[in-house]
Amino acid sequence: MNEALNRIAELAQRVSRNVTFMEVCGTHTMAVSRSGLRQLLPANVKLISGPGCPVCVTDTSYLDAAIELARRPDVIVTTFGDLVRVPGSESSLERERAAGAAVRVVYSPADALSLAQENPDKQVVFLGVGFETTAPTVAWTIKKAAQDGVMNFSVLCAHKTMPFAMEALLKDKEVKIDGFICPGHVSVITGAQLYRFIPERYGIPCVVCGFEAVDVMKCIAMLLAQIAEERAAVEIEYTRSVNQTGNPAAQQLIAEVFEESDAGWRGIGVIRRSGLAIRKEFSRWDAGKSVTFRESSPHPGCRCGDVLRGVLTPPDCKLFAKACTPTNPLGPCMVSSEGACAAFYRYERKVAA
Amino acid sequence: MKHDRILLGHGGGGTLTHELIERLFAPAFGMKELEDSAVLESAGRRLAFTTDSYVVKPYFFPGGDIGKLAVCGTVNDLAMQGAEPLWLSLGMILEEGLPIADLEKIVASIKATAVDIGVKVVTGDTKVVERGKCEGLYINTAGIGRVVADVGSTRVRPGDAVIVNGNLGEHGVAVLSRREGIAFQTSVISDCAPLWSLVQNALVSGAEIHAMRDPTRGGLAATVCDIAVASGVGIRLQESALPVSAEVRGACDLLGLDPLNIANEGKVVVFCRGTDAGRLLDAMRSHPLGREAWVIGEVTEKPKGMAVLRTAIGGERIVDMPTGEDLPRIC
């Protein structure tokens, strides 16, 4: 392990300028914070987190819509656990549940479908949030509901895709990125080729990275090596699971059920072609059709948006660890276990000597 | 209180539970030192008294059941106070429709566990609630024990060694693996076990023991955070020394959980004078439940009231008190 650190130190010296690398995957955020890696890096290598935590980039208006659905007496809202505590503009699913709403945590959309079959008198809504990693299973479940004629199941869809969000950050003048640590999980599905336009059009190195601290260290060394050698390409550190082309069956499923759409990212705004919407053929299973999305705003003072763009590190937010803590989170980055603020709070809140 | 209703997280053993105790329960009854058991003096005898309720779902899980858990959990709370368990009460809340065969199995398990420990069930109560008002059954037990050692969570000092008797996170992962909606294949079984005889070995070893805790809800993280605050010390754990099986680690990766936050039901964390660590390890390892006993960290003066972890790659990070609702109804 010291070998990887030595290599980073050596390359950082060769590069001899300040460089900032962004990871765009919640698992990487956690790996960096949990391993204490940040403190071990040379002074001229900085790591920042991007919009890689699916819960964190989910817009307040989506949460409000989910809460509105949960309040209906004939609806059971099903969701992955992380979303339950995220505050909408007035409430959260957790509070609604305590007040009597039917909110169930599930571990797969297929469980939500079973729940719909067991409760024919209820409408079971699954909250479809996540990147290319979760989209295929949600697509499969919608297809299955259509095949089996399960009419009381639907998905409130806020699925997003990563490449155009990364591009939006590169175009953002406030954000300075010298290399991307690309998400391993997403790339298993999409293949590494997905990022090729980044080095080609923007000259920024990309390395697809596994999710252990050791992977992140190797990945940092690979990014530094590209910079030192004055080249930019998509390379794969996570070779044990990722190739260039990805998983065609999963891609096919996504394409069958979803279509590209514009999507609103919390803190970043609408990014063209960065979302997945449910295709017309499956609109019967689209819960978005039965609820209105109202404009809504997050907590005043919450700077999750700036954190997600990598402009602000969590401890520099005025609310961090004061008004906003994991027990009483004001923004999504403090709620999600993969959020940058939660990771900083849990693992890197200043350690006194 | 920050919330106007009880959330599931209030039962997680983390910061929300603490808030409830510190703001509502403790002030109402003038409680100051909050330990696993109360130590009471009566006619020159020192007795420990504790109570605990069990709502684990499902009530049969790999390595145990709610009955065994209801005996072990309460007896372990006495043992952590250095008390030999003597008597137990048994309160049963049963759901209409519960199969008698299941109840018989659970009662047999309670009996076997109590006999094994040498604790007597001396009083009890039964209530039945309508179908749907509880899931199968809930159990409450209270226990009384005879205090034989002076230990407590405020007595930990810089220089102490931190020792645990084996693999972490097995109870939580075993229960989760059978949870409806999560069920996954694993060979992990709950570590649910009565700790008194192991604790007895430790107490007679001659090592100067300052505190003992069973890292149940909230796991090792909640335990070390509690002790750091109560004793006003820093606790430094070594990641490379933490015993976590590959299976528990894999399950945690899959579910996005930290093994440090997962419940144990057969583990004891012992804080003893650093120079006595060797002697204590020998004593613990001579017991079947202590074969894998290991030093996992040390107590320092700073950072006061905090626990930190030296990571495998040589970094340092905070060990934080879990907020507490990732895994409801684990015990």
Side-chain angles (χ1 to χ4, degrees):
Chain A
M1 261 176 267
N2 281 335
E3 221 172 282
L5 283 173
N6 289 342
R7 178 149 172 76
I8 289 174
E10 190 186 304
L11 285 161
Q13 207 170 6
R14 254 176 77 193
V15 167
S16 78
R17 64 177 170 92
N18 290 338
V19 290
T20 301
F21 298 142
M22 175 183 270
E23 39 81 5
V24 284
C25 168
T27 315
H28 289 156
T29 310
M30 291 301 287
V32 169
S33 279
R34 270 175 73 170
S35 62
L37 175 58
R38 218 182 304 273
Q39 320 140 23
L40 302 176
L41 294 176
N44 64 327
V45 178
K46 188 180 170 194
L47 288 187
I48 56 173
S49 295
C53 154
V55 167
C56 304
V57 298
T58 300
D59 211 49
T60 318
S61 64
Y62 177 89
L63 287 157
D64 289 346
I67 287 165
E68 190 193 318
L69 285 169
R71 282 176 178 165
R72 294 184 191 168
D74 61 328
V75 168
I76 301 175
V77 165
T78 55
T79 173
F80 294 139
D82 263 12
L83 216 51
V84 172
R85 297 184 55 231
V86 181
S89 39
E90 296 169 354
S91 181
S92 68
L93 291 168
E94 181 185 44
R95 286 181 203 178
E96 294 299 318
R97 182 174 64 190
V103 177
R104 304 266 185 94
V105 171
V106 292
Y107 286 79
S108 99
D111 295 339
L113 184 60
S114 311
L115 195 68
Q117 285 164 315
E118 288 156 20
N119 295 275
D121 54 331
K122 299 276 187 190
Q123 179 64 221
V124 174
V125 177
F126 178 75
L127 303 183
V129 166
F131 297 112
E132 292 91 332
T133 28
T134 42
T137 53
V138 176
W140 181 88
T141 311
I142 292 175
K143 236 181 107 177
K144 177 90 174 125
Q147 274 165 9
D148 297 352
V150 186
M151 305 313 247
N152 64 325
F153 171 80
S154 56
V155 173
L156 189 64
C157 180
H159 282 287
K160 293 181 172 55
T161 54
M162 194 46 88
F164 294 110
M166 290 161 78
E167 185 173 42
L169 293 174
L170 290 174
K171 287 179 175 165
D172 188 329
K173 293 277 181 294
E174 262 188 278
V175 190
K176 203 195 143 298
I177 298 165
D178 300 290
F180 276 113
I181 300 171
C182 297
H185 290 132
V186 165
S187 311
V188 171
I189 306 290
T190 61
Q193 45 140 9
L194 187 72
Y195 312 104
R196 204 180 287 155
F197 73 96
I198 294 175
E200 282 171 4
R201 258 183 255 162
Y202 298 90
I204 300 291
C206 289
V207 174
V208 178
C209 181
F211 43 84
E212 300 287 341
V214 185
D215 290 311
V216 180
M217 290 194 284
K218 281 188 200 156
C219 173
I220 291 170
M222 288 168 78
L223 286 168
L224 285 168
Q226 287 195 37
I227 294 173
E229 292 156 18
E230 295 182 345
R231 58 189 182 86
V234 178
E235 293 177 339
I236 304 173
E237 180 278 331
Y238 192 33
T239 45
R240 56 193 189 271
S241 299
V242 175
N243 59 25
Q244 287 294 337
T245 50
N247 177 343
Q251 290 166 19
Q252 166 65 26
L253 256 176
I254 294 179
E256 218 177 309
V257 176
F258 297 118
E259 59 192 358
E260 227 175 54
S261 70
D262 299 347
W265 295 59
R266 187 190 287 240
I268 300 174
V270 173
I271 302 174
R272 278 196 56 230
R273 300 172 59 197
S274 70
L276 294 173
I278 297 172
R279 282 184 186 279
K280 237 189 246 122
E281 301 92 286
F282 295 98
S283 64
R284 188 69 191 68
W285 292 272
D286 184 350
K289 302 285 179 218
S290 66
V291 65
T292 40
F293 288 86
R294 288 186 196 85
E295 255 195 53
S296 56
S297 46
H299 186 277
C302 171
R303 295 189 64 192
C304 279
D306 290 335
V307 170
L308 291 167
R309 287 189 303 144
V311 176
L312 188 78
T313 53
D316 295 328
C317 174
K318 285 207 175 84
L319 302 177
F320 179 80
K322 295 187 184 87
C324 185
T325 63
T327 317
N328 188 32
L330 297 177
C333 299
M334 188 59 94
V335 181
S336 169
S337 60
E338 296 195 332
C341 297
F344 256 89
Y345 185 95
R346 284 177 69 185
Y347 300 128
E348 299 187 80
R349 209 164 70 228
K350 60 176 187 290
V351 180
Chain B
M1 304 288 282
K2 278 184 189 125
H3 299 280
D4 56 358
R5 288 175 193 273
I6 287 294
L7 307 176
L8 267 176
H10 282 114
T15 50
L16 280 173
T17 308
H18 280 245
E19 188 185 296
L20 206 56
I21 294 172
E22 279 162 20
R23 300 210 186 164
L24 189 60
F25 301 141
F29 309 111
M31 294 169 171
K32 286 196 189 85
E33 271 184 37
L34 292 168
E35 300 276 4
D36 284 335
S37 306
V39 174
L40 309 167
E41 299 234 11
S42 166
R45 291 183 72 183
R46 293 177 74 215
L47 297 175
F49 180 40
T50 190
T51 183
D52 212 330
S53 300
Y54 301 86
V55 298
V56 64
K57 166 186 164 183
Y59 54 74
F60 293 117
F61 50 82
D65 58 74
I66 192 170
K68 182 180 180 189
L69 190 63
V71 176
C72 292
T74 296
V75 161
N76 290 350
D77 280 350
L78 294 172
M80 295 308 112
Q81 218 56 50
E84 176 191 7
L86 301 175
W87 303 295
L88 282 186
S89 73
L90 180 66
M92 296 281 219
I93 299 172
L94 311 175
E95 184 190 15
E96 177 187 20
L98 174 72
I100 292 288
D102 284 3
L103 185 59
E104 282 173 345
K105 266 192 220 163
I106 290 164
V107 170
S109 163
I110 292 173
K111 182 182 168 190
T113 313
V115 167
D116 177 35
I117 303 165
V119 66
K120 282 203 169 71
V121 177
V122 290
T123 182
D125 176 55
T126 309
K127 295 283 188 298
V128 178
V129 296
E130 297 90 336
R131 187 185 284 272
K133 298 295 177 196
C134 90
E135 263 166 301
L137 76 163
Y138 301 150
I139 299 180
N140 172 276
T141 52
I144 294 176
R146 187 170 57 95
V147 178
V148 299
D150 273 325
V151 292
S153 54
T154 58
R155 297 170 183 242
V156 173
R157 295 289 164 262
D160 282 4
V162 186
I163 291 170
V164 73
N165 62 316
N167 281 349
L168 296 168
E170 295 182 339
H171 176 72
V173 166
V175 171
L176 267 185
S177 73
R178 295 304 146 90
R179 191 68 70 76
E180 182 190 340
I182 311 182
F184 54 90
Q185 289 296 322
T186 176
S187 59
V188 176
I189 62 168
S190 167
D191 60 345
C192 180
L195 293 167
W196 169 244
S197 70
L198 172 66
V199 165
Q200 223 174 357
N201 271 22
L203 290 174
V204 301
S205 69
E208 187 181 309
I209 294 174
H210 294 150
M212 293 180 285
R213 271 295 178 97
D214 52 341
T216 55
R217 279 177 312 179
L220 179 68
T223 292
V224 293
C225 288
D226 264 349
I227 296 282
V229 171
S231 288
V233 294
I235 294 176
R236 287 182 187 275
L237 301 178
Q238 285 287 345
E239 187 171 47
S240 51
L242 294 178
V244 180
S245 71
E247 289 219 283
V248 166
R249 196 172 291 287
C252 285
D253 282 348
L254 187 76
L255 298 167
L257 303 170
D258 187 337
L260 288 190
N261 297 350
I262 308 271
N264 308 274
E265 289 293 346
K267 291 296 159 336
V268 53
V269 184
V270 187
F271 299 80
C272 76
R273 193 167 67 183
T275 46
D276 290 349
R279 178 190 296 198
L280 181 58
L281 282 176
D282 287 343
M284 289 176 76
R285 286 175 182 162
S286 69
H287 189 280
L289 291 175
R291 291 227 171 86
E292 307 293 322
W294 202 252
V295 176
I296 56 169
E298 57 171 350
V299 179
T300 51
E301 218 153 289
K302 287 177 181 175
K304 265 198 195 342
M306 274 178 97
V308 295
L309 177 81
R310 165 76 45 174
T311 67
I313 63 165
E316 195 165 82
R317 64 130 156 128
I318 291 174
V319 176
D320 202 26
M321 175 68 86
T323 311
E325 89 307 338
D326 285 355
L327 316 166
R329 307 215 7 220
I330 214 77
C331 56

